Amino acid sequence: MLLLDPEAPALALRAAEIGESAESLASGVRLAEARLRELAGICDIEVYRYGMLPTWRLIRADSTMFVGAFDAGWEGHESATYKVMETPHGPLFRGFRRMFEAVVRGAERTV
C-alpha cells in the first residue's frame, strides 16, 4: 500500500486541491497507516510513504491492481476504481506495476 507522506511538501498541495487543511489530511494518513499496521498482525501487508503529488490511486494485491485517479477538487475515493489484472499481453497491468515499483523504490517502508 502506498500512502502520501504526511511530512512531504506535496501533502500541503494535495490538501489545498481538495479544500482540506494539511493538518487534517496528515492526520488522516497517519490514522490509515495505524489501521494498516494493525492488519500486519493477521495478514501480509506492506505500507510505504511516498513524497510526490499523487496522480494514481493504486492498490496492489498480487497479480491484481485496483486503480483510480486523483485530481484537483476531487478525492481519490470519489474516482471510479478499475480492476486491472495481469494478462499475457495486457499493457495496463504492466505499466501500473512498473510505476508502482518505481514509487516503492523511492519510498520509505513503514509497515
Side-chain angles (χ1 to χ4, degrees):
M1 191 74 77
L2 298 169
L3 297 175
L4 181 56
D5 187 335
E7 304 299 323
L11 183 123
L13 179 56
R14 180 64 189 147
E17 285 183 342
I18 59 173
E20 188 172 335
S21 73
E23 180 181 5
S24 179
L25 182 56
S27 293
V29 170
R30 288 185 183 99
L31 175 61
E33 188 175 77
R35 298 299 300 197
L36 291 166
R37 189 171 288 111
E38 292 171 8
L39 284 176
I42 59 171
C43 67
D44 183 23
I45 188 168
E46 295 180 11
V47 179
Y48 296 84
R49 287 183 178 183
Y50 66 94
M52 62 188 205
L53 187 64
T55 301
W56 297 104
R57 184 176 199 223
L58 296 171
I59 300 170
R60 182 175 174 185
D62 300 321
S63 62
T64 303
M65 287 193 194
F66 299 91
V67 181
F70 292 99
D71 197 9
W74 129 52
E75 304 241 16
H77 68 270
E78 294 173 327
S79 172
T81 301
Y82 300 91
K83 183 177 182 179
V84 180
M85 301 182 70
E86 187 172 22
T87 60
H89 303 290
L92 287 178
F93 181 86
R94 291 172 185 202
F96 282 120
R97 180 184 62 200
R98 182 179 174 136
M99 188 191 70
F100 186 93
E101 290 170 354
V103 173
V104 167
R105 277 193 302 277
E108 173 191 0
R109 184 169 179 187
T110 58
V111 176

